[in-house]
Amino acid sequence: MLTLDHLILRAADPAATLAELADRLGAPVLAPVAEVSGLTSGIVRAGALDLEVLRVGATPPARVGGYGLGFTADVPLPDASAALRSAGYPTSVAAKATAAGRSWRALQVHGLLPDPFPVPATTRHPGLMARATEAAAGVMTKIPAVAKAATRKSGRSMVVVTEYDFDASAWRAAAGHGPDVLAVEVGTGGCDWSHLPLEPGPLELRASGQTGITRIIFEGDGDSFTLGDVDFEFSSAA
């Protein structure tokens, strides 16, 4: 079972976008902007979800975009990958990343949003070659020059499943608590999510229209606003 863990926004200036989100949402900064494995990332905390602002790709986007989604699984990452592949969703090998003493592993899932981040992904069951590739991917994230070369193309979306190697709950609790997320509207571009084992949550999927995250609704009476292609709205309806 997959549980929505974080939302990924792509921006040309992650620091400015992160600061604006923290101010307008009244949300604490969980991780200031820093380079992680060839990407530039910062995180604010909103209820039970993280909002990650990411700079990826050689060409910065003209507007902030609702780039992707991050999930966690209720089984170890290799088992989650095998289940997703059996359901027909190609997955990448898991790559390890570290930042400020924290470490985690994540794999990418294709077939859920159009034009995904261009990493090799397959529905084949893992074998010796896949394990060797995974080991190489883990090494790649520790070599900034190689990682940067591998992230020059961004695609238009990213869906990941993450496994934390540290106490993420305690880390998040120490940062504080932003407004709860009531709904996350996502355009799938016609991709089939019907076989994805999703835990009930705030995701609202539609097949047509703009793809990626288009609207996030928070609990409360704050002022709604728009950043690039994403609407941020407040609702007092719990």
Side-chain angles (χ1 to χ4, degrees):
M1 191 69 70
L2 299 180
T3 300
L4 187 62
D5 180 74
H6 59 280
L7 311 177
I8 307 170
L9 307 176
R10 184 171 175 236
D13 187 344
T17 302
L18 192 77
E20 184 168 1
L21 284 174
D23 179 56
R24 291 195 171 196
L25 296 176
V29 173
L30 185 59
V33 171
E35 187 173 293
V36 180
S37 300
L39 311 174
T40 302
S41 168
I43 305 170
V44 296
R45 183 67 175 165
L49 296 177
D50 295 342
L51 303 184
E52 180 179 14
V53 183
L54 191 68
R55 184 172 67 215
V56 59
T59 304
R63 297 161 57 86
V64 174
Y67 186 52
L69 305 164
F71 297 90
T72 55
D74 60 352
V75 295
L77 209 54
D79 295 337
S81 180
L84 288 166
R85 292 181 182 188
S86 294
Y89 299 108
T91 67
S92 72
V93 297
K96 185 174 182 178
T98 60
R102 308 182 310 275
S103 64
W104 61 94
R105 293 190 307 135
L107 58 82
Q108 297 190 41
V109 187
H110 288 186
L112 295 171
L113 292 173
D115 188 19
F117 182 83
V119 294
T122 181
T123 55
R124 291 183 299 178
H125 289 291
L128 180 61
M129 182 61 69
R131 288 194 293 271
T133 305
E134 180 170 349
V139 171
M140 185 195 75
T141 62
K142 300 173 185 177
I143 307 174
V146 177
K148 285 180 179 178
T151 56
R152 287 190 296 195
K153 295 183 179 179
S154 64
R156 291 193 293 122
S157 69
M158 181 183 289
V159 177
V160 298
V161 180
T162 301
E163 184 174 81
Y164 297 105
D165 296 327
F166 65 100
D167 191 340
S169 296
W171 174 60
R172 288 162 166 164
H177 190 280
D180 288 319
V181 175
L182 299 179
V184 181
E185 295 186 4
V186 177
T188 66
C191 294
D192 184 7
W193 289 57
S194 62
H195 301 294
L196 197 69
L198 279 180
E199 183 78 19
L203 278 181
E204 298 182 0
L205 306 174
R206 53 174 173 72
S208 60
Q210 182 180 319
T211 60
I213 300 167
T214 58
R215 184 163 71 146
I216 308 171
I217 303 175
F218 301 87
E219 183 177 7
D221 298 317
D223 295 326
S224 298
F225 61 97
T226 298
L227 281 181
D229 295 328
V230 185
D231 294 327
F232 298 80
E233 299 180 6
F234 286 86
S235 173
S236 57

